[in-house]
Each structure stands twice: as C-alpha cells, then as structure tokens.
Amino acid sequence: MIRRLLVVVAMLLAAPLMAHQQKIAISTVSLNPRTDRIEITHQVPVHDAEHALRMQGARVPDIVGSAKSREEFAAYVTRRFLLTVNGETVTPGYVGSEISGGSLMVYQETPAPAGEARLTVNSQILTDVWARQENRVNIGAGTQVETFIFGAGDTPRDAMLGG
C-alpha cells in the first residue's frame, strides 16, 4: 500500500516537470485567396522556446516578457523551416509573433503563385535541441489538410496547395 502511494506521489510530482518540455511544434501552411499569399504559422511551447534560446547562449530568455527574446526565437524558427514553391526555394517574410496560451506563435508569408503550388517542406525546429523533437506540418485548410511529421534529420516532403 505504501509503495503504491509512493509511486502515485512520484508520478504527480513528475507530471509538471514533463509538461514543461513538450517537444512538439506545429506549423500550418495555407493559402489566403484574399491576399494571394501563402501564410505560415508556427506554434511552439514557450518553455521549449526559452530552453532553445538558453542553449544558443541567451542568459535569461523570457519569451513572454521580452520582445527581444521573442524576436530571437522567431528568427531561429524562420531558419529551421524550409520551403520551396514549384521547385524554387523561398524565404517567407517574417510577419510577427505573439503569445497565445502557453505557446509562441510565429507568423510568416510569401507570395502565392497562380494556380496550384507544389510545396516542399521540412521543419527542423528544435531538432538541434532534442533528438526526439516532433514537428507537425499541416498543409492546406478546412477539410483539405495533409499532415507531415518531421524529426531530426528527416528529408523534405512534397504536397500540393490548391489555388
């Protein structure tokens, strides 16, 4: 009985520690027909972003309270997410970032080609920090979404984005 109680207490104490590092980032790539832009949204847990900044040498990163920390991590995200459109490598422009719940949202966009776009994507966000990092990339919107899951060292994947 005491042994079971100790196991339960240990699990309860460990749960908050495990919750801090989620090791999952979610990116969404969609077409905005009103602006003719491909919009990209990256969602990264704040704690994971701060940990990555510490590993890059930041002394006291504060994603929530410091615009400088948010901008540093946003720059990192834009370097670790690779995109080609119809065979041409593009560098989506950085639009901005914000905190939503426990996540940092990073926004990018690039002009959309006329018609359908053949995309090649590779999300290596935080894979240089954790070997078990999992990055989900959702391409499309509504009921027309294709999802890829990337880990450290994975190769790019192709998808069509309707036009």
Side-chain angles (χ1 to χ4, degrees):
M1 177 71 171
I2 291 177
R3 186 173 159 180
R4 282 187 192 173
L5 181 61
L6 289 175
V7 169
V8 170
V9 169
M11 288 173 55
L12 289 173
L13 292 174
L17 296 175
M18 291 186 291
H20 285 287
Q21 294 177 348
Q22 296 177 21
K23 298 182 180 126
I24 294 177
I26 300 170
S27 299
T28 302
V29 181
S30 60
L31 179 65
N32 184 334
R34 290 172 303 183
T35 62
D36 288 327
R37 310 287 282 178
I38 295 173
E39 298 178 341
I40 305 162
T41 303
H42 308 282
Q43 179 179 352
V44 179
V46 168
H47 185 271
D48 292 4
E50 289 176 340
H51 183 82
L53 288 176
R54 270 192 295 282
M55 291 193 65
Q56 294 176 18
R59 288 181 163 239
V60 185
D62 180 8
I63 295 291
V64 174
S66 166
K68 181 178 184 247
S69 287
R70 280 191 303 278
E71 296 303 308
E72 287 174 357
F73 189 75
Y76 163 84
V77 166
T78 62
R79 290 189 308 271
R80 303 290 295 174
F81 186 83
L82 307 174
L83 176 69
T84 65
V85 179
N86 293 337
E88 292 186 34
T89 300
V90 297
T91 304
Y94 172 66
V95 176
S97 65
E98 67 179 340
I99 302 297
S100 178
S103 296
L104 174 64
M105 309 298 288
V106 177
Y107 304 103
Q108 293 180 276
E109 66 178 11
T110 193
E116 283 194 327
R118 184 176 47 83
L119 304 182
T120 302
V121 298
N122 193 352
S123 179
Q124 292 296 309
I125 299 166
L126 296 173
T127 60
D128 56 334
V129 177
W130 293 291
R132 292 179 43 195
Q133 174 69 24
E134 181 178 292
N135 295 326
R136 296 175 188 222
V137 177
N138 298 314
I139 299 175
T143 60
Q144 302 296 315
V145 176
E146 186 168 2
T147 301
F148 297 129
I149 299 175
F150 294 95
D154 282 352
T155 58
R157 306 275 300 273
D158 296 325
M160 297 302 292
L161 185 62

